[in-house]
């Protein structure tokens, strides 16, 4: 005979997912920064930008929770502290212009103070993520429909393909002359030298090739100008840094099939989760006009989109006069407000970084971060 059992009701407290990090391990800040750079190199960023580690607690600093936000406001900082963030990845750099003091007077200074007091590091990738192949602009292009994309302004590699930015080649006829030349140029810093046999006008020669910096080039030319009898047939080439595949600012997107402007508007609204956006019709265009080519740039795209031939410009904001100029050329313009063209990328970023970092740390999204402008 089975004995009866009484079921006693128990209460279950749901713990927010951002607290459940027992299965996660820690990462040293420096190791994490190295991994973030592997994900999207800071060398992709524009020269004017302020990217990378902006606030660093005294080392060693370990990270269990990485907090993602588009803009780091005081409200977002409060949320990050409540959620025990160790590193805040703020897409926009909260520190851009130089700070002459760090006091409680301004909100950006207060961000720095609160971060340091609570041992929270702050990192910003900004335009590095704009240019990256898997970055913000590629995410924005996903909302257009099936299309092929390429950067409007391609990025170049951070380094030249060989040592130095210049190549100098010349020929030497005699072995004794070659020895003198090689000894001299090898004594100049920042020069790499190779030589190979060549034949010119039925005469055996040695062709000397040097890769060198601008400064070294001047020194080599000074030596050669004083020893004109040693060489002939000189060529100077300026080397170019190679373009990086699928990397750069803005995207020029060619749709597999044209759609009406009205259809494209609905696609963009759905992708960005917006009920409203701003539209400037190009001269002679209507909502039924076809759209085949879209030039886009997340954030503020005026300088990137200027002069690009397309049926539609898509960005967060442009100046009044840039909009007028585009419209006069028959180009439609859609403006969605600055950060509305960026923020949605963070959900994709959360997933990509989870894979890239092998789920070693907890990665959470801000719930209070939002565009400061609202339609009322």
């Amino acid at each position: 005979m089975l004995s009866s059992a009484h079921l006693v009701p128990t209460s279950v407290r749901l713990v927010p997912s951002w607290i459940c990090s027992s299965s996660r391990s820690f990462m040293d800040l420096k190791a994490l920064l190295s991994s973030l750079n592997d994900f999207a190199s800071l060398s992709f960023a524009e020269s004017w930008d302020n990217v990378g580690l902006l606030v660093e607690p005294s080392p060693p600093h370990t990270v269990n929770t990485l907090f993602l936000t588009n803009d780091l406001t005081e409200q977002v900082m409060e949320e990050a502290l409540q959620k025990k963030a160790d590193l805040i990845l703020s897409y926009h750099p909260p520190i851009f212009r130089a700070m002459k003091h760090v006091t409680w007077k301004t909100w950006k200074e207060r961000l720095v103070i609160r971060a340091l007091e609570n041992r929270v590091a702050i990192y910003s990738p900004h335009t590095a993520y704009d240019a990256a192949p898997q970055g913000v602009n590629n995410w924005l292009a996903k909302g257009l429909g099936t299309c092929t994309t390429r950067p409007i302004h391609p990025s170049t590699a951070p380094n030249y393909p060989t040592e130095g930015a210049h190549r100098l080649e010349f020929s030497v006829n005699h072995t004794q002359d070659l020895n003198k030349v090689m000894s001299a140029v090898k004594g100049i810093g920042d020069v790499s030298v190779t030589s190979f046999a060549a034949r010119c006008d039925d005469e055996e020669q040695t062709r000397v090739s040097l890769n060198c910096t601008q400064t070294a080039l001047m020194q080599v030319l000074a030596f050669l100008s004083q020893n004109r009898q040693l060489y002939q047939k000189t060529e100077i080439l300026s080397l170019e840094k190679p373009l990086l595949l699928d990397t750069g600012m803005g995207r020029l997107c060619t749709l597999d099939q044209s759609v009406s402007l009205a259809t494209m508007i609905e696609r963009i609204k759905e992708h960005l989760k917006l009920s409203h956006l701003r539209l400037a019709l190009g001269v002679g265009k209507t909502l039924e006009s076809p759209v085949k080519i879209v030039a886009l740039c997340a954030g503020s795209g005026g300088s990137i989109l200027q002069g690009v031939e397309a049926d539609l410009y898509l960005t967060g904001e442009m100046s009044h006069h840039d909009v007028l100029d585009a419209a006069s050329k028959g180009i439609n313009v859609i403006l969605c407000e600055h950060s509305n063209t960026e923020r949605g990328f963070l959900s994709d970023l959360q997933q990509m970084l989870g894979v890239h970092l092998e789920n070693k740390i907890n990665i959470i999204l801000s719930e209070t971060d939002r565009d400061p402008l609202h339609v009322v």
Side-chain angles (χ1 to χ4, degrees):
M1 181 177 176
L2 296 175
S3 59
S4 60
H6 296 283
L7 298 179
V8 179
T10 58
S11 61
V12 178
R13 185 169 66 93
L14 296 178
V15 180
S17 59
W18 51 266
I19 294 178
C20 301
S21 57
S22 58
S23 61
R24 312 285 183 178
S25 61
F26 291 89
M27 287 188 71
D28 176 73
L29 177 61
K30 292 191 185 313
L32 177 53
L33 294 177
S34 178
S35 292
L36 289 175
N37 197 64
D38 290 339
F39 174 76
S41 174
L42 292 177
S43 65
F44 297 163
E46 295 289 276
S47 58
W48 49 261
D49 208 356
N50 189 35
V51 296
L53 186 62
L54 305 184
V55 175
E56 179 183 13
S58 58
H61 185 64
T62 55
V63 177
N64 177 57
T65 298
L66 172 61
F67 181 90
L68 307 181
T69 185
N70 199 78
D71 292 294
L72 183 55
T73 61
E74 289 190 277
Q75 292 81 7
V76 173
M77 172 62 82
E78 185 62 38
E79 179 193 4
L81 296 180
Q82 289 177 1
K83 295 180 178 178
K84 308 298 181 186
D86 305 295
L87 171 63
I88 297 172
L89 187 155
S90 176
Y91 166 74
H92 285 137
I95 303 174
F96 192 78
R97 296 182 181 87
M99 287 185 173
K100 294 186 177 181
H101 38 65
V102 180
T103 69
W104 205 247
K105 185 175 182 180
T106 68
W107 70 275
K108 290 195 173 184
E109 292 174 59
R110 291 194 292 271
L111 289 177
V112 174
I113 294 171
R114 296 206 70 191
L116 290 174
E117 286 180 341
N118 291 276
R119 294 193 56 78
V120 177
I122 300 175
Y123 175 91
S124 176
H126 201 201
T127 52
Y129 279 11
D130 289 347
Q134 74 283 30
V136 181
N137 283 306
N138 265 35
W139 166 80
L140 186 57
K142 287 181 181 180
L144 304 180
T146 307
C147 61
T148 58
T149 67
R150 64 175 177 84
I152 295 174
H153 296 292
S155 297
T156 57
N159 301 310
Y160 290 95
T162 55
E163 182 180 355
H166 300 277
R167 177 174 294 160
L168 171 65
E169 291 189 358
F170 56 89
S171 298
V172 178
N173 290 335
H174 306 294
T175 302
Q176 63 270 27
D177 293 341
L178 177 63
N179 291 337
K180 182 175 182 179
V181 170
M182 296 293 275
S183 176
V185 296
K186 286 182 178 179
I188 298 173
D190 298 323
V191 174
S192 61
V193 187
T194 58
S195 61
F196 51 93
R199 189 173 185 82
C200 183
D201 298 330
D202 293 326
E203 184 178 3
E204 293 293 335
Q205 297 179 332
T206 300
R207 192 74 176 162
V208 179
S209 178
L210 306 103
N211 289 332
C212 53
T213 62
Q214 176 75 31
T215 301
L217 176 64
M218 295 298 100
Q219 294 178 268
V220 173
L221 289 176
F223 166 78
L224 293 177
S225 65
Q226 296 170 7
N227 297 273
R228 296 179 181 275
Q229 74 283 3
L230 301 182
Y231 69 96
Q232 55 186 308
K233 294 182 178 176
T234 303
E235 291 182 272
I236 301 176
L237 305 174
S238 179
L239 303 181
E240 293 186 357
K241 296 178 180 179
L243 297 179
L244 296 175
L245 185 66
D246 300 325
T247 305
M249 294 300 163
R251 292 293 183 270
L252 190 64
C253 309
T254 303
L255 297 172
D256 287 3
Q257 293 185 335
S258 298
V259 298
S260 69
L261 177 58
T263 297
M264 181 57 67
I265 289 171
E266 292 308 311
R267 288 181 181 181
I268 293 169
K269 283 182 177 179
E270 182 180 2
H271 184 56
L272 301 184
K273 297 179 174 59
L274 297 175
S275 58
H276 298 82
L277 44 73
R278 293 190 286 166
L279 169 68
L281 283 172
V283 172
K285 300 300 170 68
T286 70
L287 290 176
E288 297 308 313
S289 296
V291 173
K292 177 73 172 179
I293 299 175
V294 180
L296 63 82
C297 179
S300 181
S303 61
I304 300 297
L305 301 178
Q306 192 170 34
V308 178
E309 293 185 7
D311 301 310
L312 171 66
Y313 285 174
L314 170 61
T315 187
E317 59 180 338
M318 284 174 62
S319 77
H320 174 77
H321 297 286
D322 285 344
V323 172
L324 289 177
D325 186 60
S328 73
K329 298 173 183 175
I331 301 172
N332 304 299
V333 179
I334 290 179
L335 305 180
C336 306
E337 306 308 341
H338 190 111
S339 68
N340 288 336
T341 57
E342 304 162 336
R343 185 170 288 102
F345 167 70
L346 295 181
S347 295
D348 282 14
L349 178 64
Q350 182 183 32
Q351 297 179 14
M352 288 188 290
L353 287 182
V355 173
H356 181 72
L357 300 174
E358 300 175 338
N359 293 314
K360 291 179 181 177
I361 60 173
N362 201 29
I363 304 175
I364 57 178
L365 288 176
S366 172
E367 297 177 6
T368 57
D369 174 43
R370 56 180 53 86
D371 195 274
L373 294 173
H374 301 274
V375 177
V376 294

